[in-house]
């Protein structure tokens, strides 16, 4: 199925991806507490954490253009360099403004690495096995997200914040070394499709092929932002004593387990039913976290969220690949993920302000409502009209926006 050089490239890319996500995830259980220990309120914690998505969002257009025009590798290297540098700068930040600036800079890492990684995997994948290979290669996220938080929580408890930041930076540096020998395939240039003849990056969000996935990810991003920002504080508020990193590990285990069969099955049954199922799982996870009062319940909430994320993000990547020509993939995936970026950016300050009034628990109840709305939107607006959308979302119809669709 793959030639030896492609296997080597994918192997190096896979290990580099593991290091990237482990570096990022190692800071998940400690950063909110680190910011709070500096005297921040819930709203201030949310503002600082939300700046990560501001960096993501602001850099999306330029990085998407870089990945499509200059190549995936240079974009990968840029993302990995940021993930290696940013943890070192946290150590020297002395105010909320400086922490927010570093957090925004850190956001560039995902904007560059994730879109270039997904685009390069698709470039190297035979179309008939695209979903399967995306499923395999996307395992770097749950494995990294499983190892990173546990490592970060352990290092912080044993040696403090500084040791955790140094370890995170070291993982990024090792990832840089692994990316250097990768060679990307030559991409054949195609004339731009009608939706991409307009040069304005943001106006392309108006096309229904992108608009509905981006809107779904906006609502999911709000819930995910609540998870990454406020779960450590919710656990502390609940009086439950356990390593919060284990919640992220439970999410990673679920994500890892579910990706392998889903990626292969989506090549046969379409992306729609799996995206719908992932939104059901996301809603259930938010409900469980809303009601959680024990270690087991928190772990269950994390497990369900991981299962939802393990399906949703790879399936959205495959959906955007189906709907794009090779030289448009970076732009299409980036446009789709804009919704996720905005959701995360809004989650911190908006939900943080609410948490100061009603506590951290209530925001997870609201998050369940948001993901339920996302499911309703996908069921009714994922195709040209409601009947076609429902059939596609349930696996009973084709994707009319796919490049090779007979429409």
């Amino acid at each position: 199925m793959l030639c030896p050089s492609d296997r080597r490239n994918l192997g190096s890319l896979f290990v580099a991806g593991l290091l990237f996500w482990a570096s990022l995830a190692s800071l998940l259980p400690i950063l909110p507490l680190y910011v709070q220990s500096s005297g921040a309120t819930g709203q201030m914690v949310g503002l600082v954490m939300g700046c990560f998505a501001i960096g993501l969002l602001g850099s999306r257009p330029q990085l998407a253009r870089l990945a499509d025009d200059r190549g995936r590798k240079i974009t990968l290297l840029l993302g990995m360099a940021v993930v290696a540098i940013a943890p070192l700068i946290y150590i020297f930040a002395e105010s909320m403004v400086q922490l927010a600036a570093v957090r925004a800079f850190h956001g560039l890492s995902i904007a560059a690495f994730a879109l270039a990684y997904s685009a390069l995997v698709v470039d190297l994948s035979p179309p008939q096995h695209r979903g399967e290979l995306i499923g395999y290669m996307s395992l770097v996220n749950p494995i990294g997200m499983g190892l990173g938080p546990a490592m970060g929580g352990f290092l912080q408890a044993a040696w403090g914040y500084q040791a955790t930041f140094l370890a995170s930076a070291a993982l990024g540096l090792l990832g840089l070394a692994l990316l250097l020998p990768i060679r990307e395939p030559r991409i054949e240039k195609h004339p731009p499709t009608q939706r991409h003849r307009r040069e304005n990056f943001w106006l392309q969000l108006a096309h229904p092929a992108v608009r509905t996935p981006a809107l779904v990810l906006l609502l999911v991003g709000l819930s995910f932002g609540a998870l990454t920002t406020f779960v450590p504080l919710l656990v502390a508020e609940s009086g439950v004593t356990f390593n919060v990193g284990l919640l992220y590990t439970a999410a990673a285990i679920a994500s890892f387990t579910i990706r392998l069969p889903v990626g292969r099955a989506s090549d046969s049954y379409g992306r729609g039913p799996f995206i719908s199922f992932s939104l059901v799982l996301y809603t259930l996870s938010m409900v469980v976290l809303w009601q959680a009062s024990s270690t087991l319940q928190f772990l269950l909430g994390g497990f369900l969220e991981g299962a939802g994320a393990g399906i949703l993000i790879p399936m959205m990547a495959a959906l955007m690949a189906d709907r794009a020509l090779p030289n448009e993939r970076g732009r299409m995936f980036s446009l789709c993920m804009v919704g996720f970026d905005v959701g995360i950016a809004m989650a911190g300050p908006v939900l943080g302000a609410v948490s100061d009034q009603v506590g951290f628990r209530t925001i997870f109840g609201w998050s369940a409502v948001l993901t339920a709305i996302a499911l309703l939107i996908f069921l009714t607006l994922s195709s040209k009209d409601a009947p076609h959308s429902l059939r596609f979302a349930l696996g009973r119809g084709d994707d009319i926006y796919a490049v090779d669709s007979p429409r």
Side-chain angles (χ1 to χ4, degrees), residues 77-280:
L77 290 170
L78 177 61
M80 190 69 82
V82 173
V83 95
I85 295 169
L88 301 176
I89 309 177
Y90 283 117
I91 297 173
F92 301 102
E94 297 179 348
S95 68
M96 290 298 117
V97 173
Q98 291 177 356
L99 282 170
V102 180
R103 192 67 180 150
F105 172 69
H106 210 172
L108 298 178
S109 61
I110 290 186
F113 190 90
L115 79 89
Y117 182 94
S118 297
L120 184 54
V121 168
V122 172
D123 294 343
L124 294 167
S125 302
Q128 67 273 24
H129 298 290
R130 181 177 290 157
E132 180 180 0
L133 270 173
I134 289 175
Y136 286 136
M137 293 298 292
S138 68
L139 289 173
V140 297
N141 180 275
I143 297 174
M145 294 287 285
L147 297 174
M151 180 191 78
F154 171 77
L155 288 174
Q156 192 277 330
W159 289 290
Y161 292 113
Q162 188 172 23
T164 311
F165 290 133
L166 291 173
S168 178
L171 293 176
L173 288 172
L174 183 56
L176 270 176
L178 285 168
L179 287 177
L180 291 174
I182 288 177
R183 296 192 176 190
E184 56 186 310
R186 181 175 179 177
I187 301 300
E188 181 183 356
K189 298 295 183 181
H190 296 267
T193 57
Q194 182 64 39
R195 66 176 169 264
H196 293 307
R197 286 175 185 162
R198 293 169 290 180
E199 293 185 358
N200 190 291
F201 180 87
W202 302 111
L203 287 179
Q204 294 166 23
L205 280 170
H207 194 281
V210 183
R211 182 178 61 230
T212 296
L215 182 57
V216 167
L217 286 176
L218 167 67
L219 297 170
V220 173
L222 283 164
S223 298
F224 183 78
L227 183 84
T228 57
T229 302
F230 298 112
V231 159
L233 304 177
L234 172 63
V235 172
E237 180 183 81
S238 303
V240 179
T241 303
F242 81 108
N243 181 354
V244 181
L246 295 177
L247 183 147
Y248 299 106
T249 301
I253 291 171
S255 185
F256 174 88
T257 304
I258 206 163
R259 286 179 192 232
L260 294 177
V262 165
R264 186 181 300 113
S266 75
D267 287 328
S268 300
Y269 301 106
R271 321 303 182 192
F274 298 99
I275 293 174
S276 300
F277 182 53
S278 72
L279 295 172
V280 172

Side-chain angles (χ1 to χ4, degrees), residues 272-273 276 379 389-397:
S276 300
L379 290 173
S389 296
L390 187 60
R391 286 196 290 272
F392 170 64
L394 297 179
R396 301 303 179 92

Side-chain angles (χ1 to χ4, degrees), residues 328-350:
E328 300 170 342
R329 286 171 184 155
R331 183 183 296 110
M332 282 288 280
F333 183 69
S334 185
L335 279 165
C336 177
M337 291 302 292
V338 160
F340 199 64
D341 300 344
V342 173
I344 298 174
M346 291 171 59
V350 173

Side-chain angles (χ1 to χ4, degrees), residues 30 41 93 113 182 204 236 260 287 289 293 308 319 326 341 353 357 361:
I30 73 157
T41 63
F113 190 90
I182 288 177
Q204 294 166 23
L260 294 177
V287 170
L289 290 172
S293 58
L319 184 69
D341 300 344
Q357 304 299 321
R361 184 174 300 279

Side-chain angles (χ1 to χ4, degrees), residues 273-283 304 307-313 315:
F274 298 99
I275 293 174
S276 300
F277 182 53
S278 72
L279 295 172
V280 172
L281 292 174
Y282 247 111
T283 303
L304 290 171
I311 300 173
L312 182 64
I313 301 302
M315 287 300 97

